[in-house]
């Protein structure tokens, strides 16, 4: 049966209007602007130019291309375009060589519409939406095993404390050879991890081979909620190094826990300095970036957002609390590179603007836009760019990035030289531009050595705090 063209168009329009909308981060409404008695009346623009004389003969001048683009289209034209979409959809259904999947056709059309806006808008099918929520929550149903691939075999790096794997007796350096009696040989690391994850309360048998044990060992485990570790910390002498890998819901909790653990290990003696490592951190939740910045700031703006709608424009401020009071006198260095994006740049920019931290490394990615996740119910969700963000000093880093106070380049292995640099946001097709703002045209390195001793940026930051290096920007002195 063929849909009448107008019916297909109406169906398309209905599919694009969700019954309920859920925004990933709720943004407080901005205060109403105060009325200025000296301001011009609503129908009078300030510094208004005199009206132009009408064209000879009384004809209106042709609108410029910019004026045509800014003018709202006639609703009938919009519905005519939707009618065209419906006609094409109808012809594909009826005449394509093989019967198409109609749901996938519509989803592909939605995806095309969203991705035509900018590189960060897009459609999330239900499975992708579930994965995104799991990623941002920092929690999933699983066993609690950190694994790696070694010569084609899944090797346990370590079990996570208080998880099913740790309680069952899984040990570091165990090799996982079977999952539910099915060989894992030939699976990719991601495929093996996906098989170990699953619904809470479900069971799985994991077979491991352990050095020094003759026979394979079987473990029956029940999947539980696993919180991904967003923050890892270590002490390098008297310097605390906090590595934040992603701004999930575990980000601020991880930073707070790490700082308290540092003080507990040192019997409440403050470290000589703190290094916050945000290199290759792709970002995440805006609210978590505010919380993390607030951990190091006692007052002032953290980030400003400006959108097309009033509710998308807001200012987020830091507030004094016990955590920032605890580390108020501890010098802070933030490491960034070409892979530090979005929420990482919000934190780095705020700490730089407030002169709370010295930034070391290479230029950041340059993603200065905010995406809202809008639920489409059982049909998944859409990721839509709804605002631009600005640092406290009103800097937009869109397609430009944040420059470190001290540029330190890594020693890149010869085989990776030239392949370790990315232009960042400015190199993405269709990225949002800001009129009058320059954009970066050269790459920034994303290379970070595995061994700390080879990490030039980390070692420089440690020497800076220890006094082996000096620079006017360190220690940062807040105003």
């Amino acid at each position: 049966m063929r849909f009448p063209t107008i019916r297909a168009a109406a169906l398309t329009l209905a599919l694009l209007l969700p019954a309920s909308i859920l925004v990933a981060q709720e943004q407080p409404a901005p205060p109403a602007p105060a009325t200025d008695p000296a301001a011009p009346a609503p129908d009078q623009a300030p510094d208004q130019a005199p009206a132009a004389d009408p064209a000879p003969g009384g004809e209106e001048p042709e609108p410029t291309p910019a004026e045509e683009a800014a003018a709202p289209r006639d609703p009938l034209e919009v519905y005519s375009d939707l009618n065209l979409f419906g006609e094409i959809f109808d012809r594909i259904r009826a005449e394509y060589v093989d019967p198409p999947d109609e749901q996938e056709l519509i989803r592909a059309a939605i995806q095309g519409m969203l991705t035509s806006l900018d590189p960060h808008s897009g459609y999330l099918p239900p499975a992708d939406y579930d994965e995104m929520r799991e990623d941002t929550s920092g929690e999933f149903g699983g066993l609690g095993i950190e694994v790696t691939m070694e010569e084609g075999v899944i090797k346990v790096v370590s079990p996570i404390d208080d998880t099913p794997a740790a309680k069952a007796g899984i040990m570091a350096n165990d090799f996982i050879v079977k999952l539910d009696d099915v060989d894992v040989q030939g699976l990719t690391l991601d495929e093996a991890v996906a098989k170990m994850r699953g619904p809470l309360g479900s069971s799985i048998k994991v077979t491991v081979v352990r050095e020094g044990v003759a026979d394979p060992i079987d473990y029956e485990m029940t999947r539980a909620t696993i919180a991904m570790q967003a923050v890892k910390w270590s002490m390098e002498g008297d310097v605390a190094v906090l590595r934040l890998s992603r701004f999930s819901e575990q980000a601020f909790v991880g930073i707070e826990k790490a700082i308290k653990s540092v003080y507990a290990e040192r019997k409440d003696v403050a470290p000589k300095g703190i290094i916050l490592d945000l290199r290759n951190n792709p970002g995440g939740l805006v609210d978590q970036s505010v919380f993390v910045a607030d951990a190091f700031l006692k007052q002032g703006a953290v980030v400003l957002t400006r959108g097309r709608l009033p509710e998308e424009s807001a200012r987020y401020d830091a507030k004094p609390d016990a955590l920032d009071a605890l580390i108020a006198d501890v010098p802070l260095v933030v490491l960034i590179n070409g892979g530090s994006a979005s929420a990482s740049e919000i934190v780095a920019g705020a700490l730089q603007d407030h002169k709370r931290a010295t930034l070391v490394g290479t230029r950041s990615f340059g993603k200065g836009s905010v995406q809202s996740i809008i639920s489409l119910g059982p049909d998944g969700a859409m990721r839509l760019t709804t605002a631009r963000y600005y640092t406290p000093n009103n800097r937009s880093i869109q397609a430009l990035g944040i420059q470190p106070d001290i540029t330190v380049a890594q020693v890149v292995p010869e085989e990776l030289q030239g392949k370790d640099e990315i232009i960042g946001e400015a190199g993405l097709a269709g990225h949002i531009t800001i009129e009058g703002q320059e954009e970066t045209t050269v790459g920034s390195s994303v290379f970070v050595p595995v061994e700390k001793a080879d990490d030039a940026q980390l070692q420089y930051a440690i020497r800076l705090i220890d006094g082996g290096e000096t620079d006017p920007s360190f220690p940062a002195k807040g105003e």
Side-chain angles (χ1 to χ4, degrees), residues 114 117-118 120-122 370-374 382-387:
L114 287 165
L117 300 172
D118 66 78
H120 307 294
S121 295
V370 180
Q371 283 69 46
S372 295
I373 307 300
I374 303 171
M382 58 189 286
R383 181 190 288 110
L384 188 66
T385 300
T386 53

Side-chain angles (χ1 to χ4, degrees), residues 166-424:
K167 293 174 182 176
I170 296 286
M171 297 175 63
N173 297 321
D174 282 348
F175 289 95
I176 297 174
V177 294
K178 290 184 179 181
L179 295 172
D180 281 335
D181 294 323
V182 178
D183 288 339
V184 299
Q185 184 74 31
L187 294 181
T188 66
L189 185 61
D190 288 343
E191 289 170 340
V193 169
K195 287 183 177 294
M196 286 187 277
R197 293 185 180 184
L200 296 176
S202 59
S203 298
I204 184 173
K205 182 166 77 171
V206 178
T207 303
V208 305
V209 171
R210 182 172 299 160
E211 186 176 353
V213 178
D215 298 321
I217 307 170
D218 291 331
Y219 291 99
E220 288 280 353
M221 289 178 275
T222 300
R223 294 180 178 93
T225 299
I226 308 298
M228 290 183 283
Q229 189 176 4
V231 179
K232 294 182 179 180
W233 69 276
S234 63
M235 293 299 302
E236 302 296 323
D238 291 327
V239 178
V241 180
L242 280 53
R243 164 66 184 154
L244 176 56
S245 59
R246 187 171 180 82
F247 285 84
S248 68
E249 290 178 8
Q250 312 301 318
F252 170 73
V253 173
I255 289 290
E256 182 180 41
K257 183 178 179 180
I259 292 173
K260 290 181 177 179
S261 296
V262 168
Y263 274 79
E265 182 177 290
R266 296 172 57 82
K267 296 179 171 51
D268 291 330
V269 175
K272 195 171 183 179
I274 295 175
I275 297 173
L276 177 61
D277 188 353
L278 298 178
R279 292 174 299 176
N280 295 336
N281 181 322
L285 300 175
V286 172
D287 61 351
Q288 287 296 314
S289 71
V290 174
F291 298 153
V292 169
D294 193 2
F296 300 96
L297 297 170
K298 64 180 180 180
Q299 63 185 5
V302 172
V303 65
L304 315 171
T305 64
R306 296 177 191 147
R308 180 178 173 186
L309 302 176
E311 58 267 29
E312 300 296 345
S313 299
R315 167 180 165 142
Y316 298 88
D317 289 310
K319 297 177 176 60
D321 54 52
L323 187 59
D324 57 57
L326 180 68
I327 58 176
D329 297 324
V330 180
L332 178 63
V333 173
V334 177
L335 299 180
I336 60 171
N337 68 2
S340 305
S342 192
S344 296
E345 294 171 296
I346 289 176
V347 172
L351 297 178
Q352 187 181 51
D353 281 4
H354 285 291
K355 295 182 171 56
R356 175 61 182 93
T358 301
L359 272 54
V360 172
T362 58
R363 191 197 68 246
S364 65
F365 187 86
K367 180 181 178 293
S369 60
V370 180
Q371 283 69 46
S372 295
I373 307 300
I374 303 171
S375 174
L376 301 174
D379 294 313
M382 58 189 286
R383 181 190 288 110
L384 188 66
T385 300
T386 53
R388 294 181 176 89
Y389 72 75
Y390 297 79
T391 72
N393 285 353
N394 207 31
R395 291 187 293 159
S396 169
I397 57 89
Q398 174 63 17
L400 183 61
I402 289 178
Q403 291 289 346
D405 298 300
I406 307 172
T407 298
V408 177
Q410 298 281 15
V411 178
V412 180
E414 186 175 349
E415 65 272 16
L416 294 179
Q417 289 178 7
K419 302 175 183 177
D420 65 306
E421 294 187 352
I422 58 172
I423 292 179

